[in-house]
Amino acid sequence: MAIDLAVQKREKLGKSVNSLRREGLVPAELYGRGIENLHLSVPAKDFLRIFKEAGTNTVINLMIGSEKRSVIIYEVGKNYLTSEVDHVDFYQVRMDEAIKAKIPVEFLGISPAVKDKGGILNKSISEIEVEALPADLPHNFKVDLAVLAELNQSIYVKDINIPHKVKVLIDPETPIVTVTEPRVEEVVAPAPTVDVSEVKVETEEKKAERVAEKATEKVEEKPGK
């Protein structure tokens, strides 16, 4: 089903776009190979709804007045203080020309190796770069964790369902997720206990020996009568 998003051309640029944000609009840019860049604005609520559905790899119809452009949401900038959408970049695509995109990985289910054997789930990647015609780009790749029944078992890129019209651009042997053995806390051996009383006795004995040695030396050094 086609996804339509209505936008408007804007004249405000630079710092003046702050007034758009106060009106509930998000400044946006449209660009693409061989086309003129357009400055746009889009209602924030409408964009967030579409973005949740389409993500950054589904083609949507950008409606500029009576004109329709096929685009993907290329980049979403957010305010680092409020996390609200600050600006949007749209990229116009040609439906007959392959493009590269990063497809998110969606993890489903529970690993028996984690649930029953205490394994640790380590997710290595969260998205997979692919190349395909815009209409053939998958929305996401689903990874079923229920197949991870043993410790030290992995799911690799080659294990997931890749549509035949989609070319994966990373090594198929790349692990996506692995269940490792539970961490074993290292037991630190207690420090050896020192018997202080023995040290004290030994010290006193040595002290007595030194005193006796000095006394003998003085007797030997004393001149005869």
Side-chain angles (χ1 to χ4, degrees):
M1 184 177 64
I3 303 175
D4 296 340
L5 177 62
V7 299
Q8 294 180 338
K9 293 183 180 180
R10 63 180 168 91
E11 300 296 332
K12 294 181 178 180
L13 304 173
K15 293 183 179 180
S16 62
V17 298
N18 288 329
S19 63
L20 291 175
R21 297 187 179 101
R22 288 192 292 269
E23 296 170 11
L25 300 172
V26 177
E29 298 289 332
L30 170 63
Y31 54 90
R33 189 166 66 86
I35 70 166
E36 181 182 356
N37 288 16
L38 291 180
H39 307 299
L40 306 170
S41 63
V42 54
K45 290 183 179 180
D46 293 345
F47 173 76
L48 290 173
R49 175 176 53 82
I50 296 297
F51 183 50
K52 184 177 181 180
E53 180 179 353
T56 58
N57 46 55
T58 299
V59 177
I60 64 175
N61 296 321
L62 213 59
M63 310 302 295
I64 311 172
S66 59
E67 187 181 6
K68 180 172 69 174
R69 305 280 189 101
S70 297
V71 307
I72 59 172
I73 301 169
Y74 186 76
E75 185 176 357
V76 178
K78 293 186 177 182
N79 185 298
Y80 71 96
L81 292 176
T82 64
S83 295
E84 295 179 347
V85 175
D86 197 60
H87 74 271
V88 179
D89 287 349
F90 297 104
Y91 182 81
Q92 184 168 321
V93 298
R94 289 181 52 177
M95 301 306 290
D96 60 348
E97 185 175 81
I99 60 173
K100 295 178 182 179
K102 293 182 178 180
I103 310 302
V105 175
E106 181 181 356
F107 296 95
L108 305 174
I110 300 174
S111 164
V114 173
K115 181 181 178 182
D116 302 328
K117 300 181 180 181
I120 306 298
L121 193 70
N122 294 303
K123 299 175 181 177
S124 304
I125 57 176
S126 59
E127 56 187 16
I128 299 173
E129 187 174 17
V130 304
E131 184 176 59
L133 293 175
D136 295 330
L137 289 173
H139 184 63
N140 56 35
F141 289 125
K142 292 180 170 57
V143 174
D144 186 5
L145 299 177
V147 304
L148 296 173
E150 302 296 333
L151 297 174
N152 299 316
Q153 186 179 356
S154 299
I155 298 175
Y156 299 88
V157 171
K158 66 181 181 181
D159 297 327
I160 64 176
N161 183 26
I162 307 290
H164 70 279
K165 293 183 179 180
V166 176
K167 179 182 178 182
V168 173
L169 299 180
I170 65 174
D171 187 346
E173 298 294 335
T174 302
I176 298 173
V177 58
T178 302
V179 176
T180 58
E181 296 182 5
R183 295 188 182 92
V184 178
E185 294 186 4
E186 184 179 355
V187 178
V188 180
T193 304
V194 177
D195 191 337
V196 180
S197 61
E198 293 181 1
V199 174
K200 184 177 180 182
V201 170
E202 181 181 8
T203 302
E204 290 177 348
E205 289 176 352
K206 289 185 177 180
K207 183 177 179 182
E209 290 177 1
R210 288 198 298 272
V211 171
E213 289 177 359
K214 288 183 179 180
T216 302
E217 291 174 356
K218 288 182 179 179
V219 171
E220 292 177 351
E221 292 175 356
K222 187 175 182 181
K225 294 181 180 179

